[in-house]
Amino acid sequence: MAQRESWATRAGFILAAVGSAVGLGNIWRFPYQVGEYGGAAFLVVYLLLVALIGFPVMLVEFTIGRRTERNPVGALKQIGEGAWTKVGWVFVLAGFVILSYYSVVAGWILRYTAIGLQGNYAAGGAGAQFMSVAGGMDSVVTHAIFMAAIVTVVAFGIQQGIEFSVKLMVPAIIALLIGLAVYAGTLSGAGEAYAYYLSPDLGTIAANWTEILPAAAAQAFFTLSLGMGVMITYASYLGEDRNLAKDGTIIVALDTAIAFTAGLVAFPVLYTAELTDVAAGPSFIFVSLAQAFSNIPFGGIIGAIFFAIVTIAALSSAISIMEVVVSYLIDEHGVDRLPATIALGVVIFVVGLPVAYEPEGLNWLVVYDGFANSILLILGGLLLAIYIGWVATDLGIEELGKGIHNLGSWGMVWIWTLRVPVIIVLLIVLTQNTIGYYESLVGIFG
Ligand code: PFF
């Protein structure tokens, strides 16, 4: 096999992983989930799951990727036996589904950046405006534009495409978002917003944990780009022995800080605009927040900056999903990068068309997102935790220990975390989410 390209620098790898992690999950989904599941109560459970479940699973993906230097399908073929050799397919399937609707939503966000620049938020009513952006030919066109951007970056390869672009994008996201959070702190509704966002009510958690837990777990996986082999793929380009635990800590911390900061922007804006009747769910930033931007001073330009940040974040994540499938075609089928990327862009664009075109409502979005985010990613993570936790323990510890001189008994702490708490929580969550998904399908089609 041809010599595999590798990251030019350590920062390149970390920024690419942060770029993957920081995306629609942090700035589109996170605020609406906080709103849906009781404010700070959700935040607390989410933070716990990121640390206890997300971080150990990220290390699993890193070790498998660096050990095999392969895409997820090839990686499991190489080290696994029997049915384990097939597990990589879950990841490729998840990549197809996620990217297909991710690109659609990112296209809407791009459109909302332009609307802000024109000073037109909520023109003709926030809800009606969103429906016209999110359905029909408008939405198909923005989906196509965004997919073309993804294809362009990934076609240039690891160093010149992905590494180059994340070095621009990730610092831009961080700087702009911090600027907005500082601005939001000066708004009149900030105090009330912080109280809602930051003081958890333990009673709410106790009363609703059967709902909060599965939602927070799915959110933790989605936001950290886990369960579909992105981190396997990115770590497969690691040329030397790195301290994977250290890199993982930086990545998790930055991702979490950025989601948290997105909340520091969104909630003060909402409270200042005195929006009591907030649309929760996927339309949150498009309807409620856009409405709020139309009510506050400088809302057009502030909103445009906000949506521009989300657009950049979405692009830096979307390229990571595309890279999983592209690296699979390159490694396993010997296809060249350029044709592989273009062909995939076209196919995934077509898969996303129902979500893009649907003229009224967001039913197809719920169908796609529920399947990929709440089922496939959790399943993928669970299988990997079982694999390293119970089957290939030695391989995991050996690989993790390579860049860490004093791993000591921490290796076994990691393994036992995977073996018991991670697996139990993910099994509960998978069951709950499957039931929930079935019920939502019945609600839509039944
Ligand atoms: N982590 C990305 C986000 O928060 O938007 C989404 C994502 C990227 C999910 C890559 C899954 C994935 F494999």
Side-chain angles (χ1 to χ4, degrees):
M1 203 174 67
Q3 178 69 37
R4 209 170 158 82
E5 198 184 355
S6 60
W7 300 105
T9 60
R10 170 171 188 242
F13 163 68
I14 293 181
L15 286 177
V18 171
S20 170
V22 174
L24 295 179
N26 306 57
I27 319 182
W28 164 64
R29 191 196 304 275
F30 176 73
Y32 85 67
Q33 298 240 310
V34 171
E36 216 164 281
Y37 295 101
F42 177 83
L43 180 63
V44 171
V45 179
Y46 160 78
L47 290 176
L48 270 175
L49 290 178
V50 162
L52 284 177
I53 313 282
F55 180 64
V57 172
M58 183 175 283
L59 293 185
V60 169
E61 294 207 15
F62 282 169
T63 48
I64 294 179
R66 186 172 68 179
R67 163 62 67 108
T68 58
E69 294 185 38
R70 288 280 192 294
N71 68 90
V73 173
L76 281 138
K77 262 197 222 159
Q78 182 182 326
I79 52 178
E81 276 167 34
W84 288 107
T85 58
K86 306 279 184 284
V87 166
W89 287 105
V90 179
F91 303 132
V92 174
L93 177 63
F96 260 86
V97 181
I98 294 180
L99 194 55
S100 73
Y101 70 83
Y102 203 85
S103 163
V104 173
V105 177
W108 302 340
I109 295 201
L110 187 63
R111 203 43 209 289
Y112 269 75
T113 311
I115 295 175
L117 291 175
Q118 297 157 344
N120 277 344
Y121 285 127
Q129 183 177 47
F130 177 52
M131 278 302 129
S132 83
V133 167
M137 278 321 277
D138 282 24
S139 164
V140 171
V141 170
T142 50
H143 173 39
I145 294 174
F146 198 82
M147 191 57 83
I150 302 170
V151 167
T152 307
V153 174
V154 175
F156 277 100
I158 289 297
Q159 287 184 7
Q160 286 180 7
I162 297 179
E163 187 165 345
F164 173 76
S165 61
V166 295
K167 279 183 177 163
L168 302 176
M169 292 195 278
V170 173
I173 297 167
I174 295 176
L176 289 171
L177 198 60
I178 292 178
L180 278 195
V182 171
Y183 167 81
T186 66
L187 293 172
S188 57
E192 224 185 318
Y194 294 157
Y196 164 78
Y197 184 40
L198 302 178
S199 41
D201 170 12
L202 294 184
T204 312
I205 303 182
N208 301 307
W209 73 272
T210 51
E211 282 192 353
I212 297 180
L213 181 78
Q219 171 64 16
F221 264 53
F222 189 81
T223 189
L224 294 174
S225 301
L226 297 176
M228 64 150 286
V230 164
M231 296 302 174
I232 295 182
T233 308
Y234 273 6
S236 77
Y237 298 106
L238 279 177
E240 41 185 299
D241 292 350
R242 298 269 173 69
N243 185 331
L244 297 176
K246 210 175 186 177
D247 289 2
T249 307
I250 298 174
I251 294 160
V252 170
L254 276 173
D255 181 72
T256 308
I258 289 174
F260 180 73
T261 313
L264 292 180
V265 177
F267 295 110
V269 169
L270 278 182
Y271 275 81
T272 304
E274 292 181 356
L275 283 190
T276 43
D277 176 23
V278 169
S283 60
F284 172 82
I285 69 171
F286 300 106
V287 177
S288 307
L289 212 53
Q291 173 73 54
F293 283 129
S294 79
N295 294 4
I296 63 166
F298 310 109
I301 184 69
I302 296 295
I305 297 173
F306 177 82
F307 282 104
I309 297 171
V310 193
T311 307
I312 304 169
L315 182 60
S316 67
S317 299
I319 57 180
S320 73
I321 308 178
M322 178 73 106
E323 179 60 29
V324 170
V325 193
V326 166
S327 67
Y328 157 72
L329 289 178
I330 296 176
D331 291 353
E332 307 302 310
H333 297 284
V335 185
D336 284 337
R337 182 170 278 272
L338 184 65
T341 315
I342 294 175
L344 274 173
V346 172
V347 173
I348 298 177
F349 169 77
V350 172
V351 176
L353 282 178
V355 182
Y357 188 75
E358 188 178 3
E360 293 285 327
L362 300 174
N363 287 336
W364 281 107
L365 177 62
V366 172
V367 171
Y368 278 49
D369 183 43
F371 178 58
N373 175 39
S374 60
I375 298 183
L376 285 182
L377 293 187
I378 304 289
L379 176 66
L382 175 63
L383 291 171
L384 289 177
I386 296 174
Y387 183 68
I388 291 293
W390 291 101
V391 182
T393 313
D394 294 345
L395 180 151
I397 294 192
E398 188 195 307
E399 190 63 38
L400 184 66
K402 276 184 185 166
I404 308 178
H405 305 302
N406 50 355
L407 183 65
S409 51
W410 285 108
M412 277 325 274
V413 172
W414 171 54
I415 293 293
W416 277 101
T417 312
L418 294 172
R419 281 188 176 172
V420 184
V422 170
I423 291 176
I424 291 178
V425 172
L426 291 182
L427 274 174
I428 296 175
V429 169
L430 188 60
T431 313
Q432 296 265 51
N433 284 352
T434 309
I435 297 171
Y437 185 62
Y438 174 74
E439 285 169 354
S440 74
L441 287 187
V442 171
I444 293 173
F445 297 110

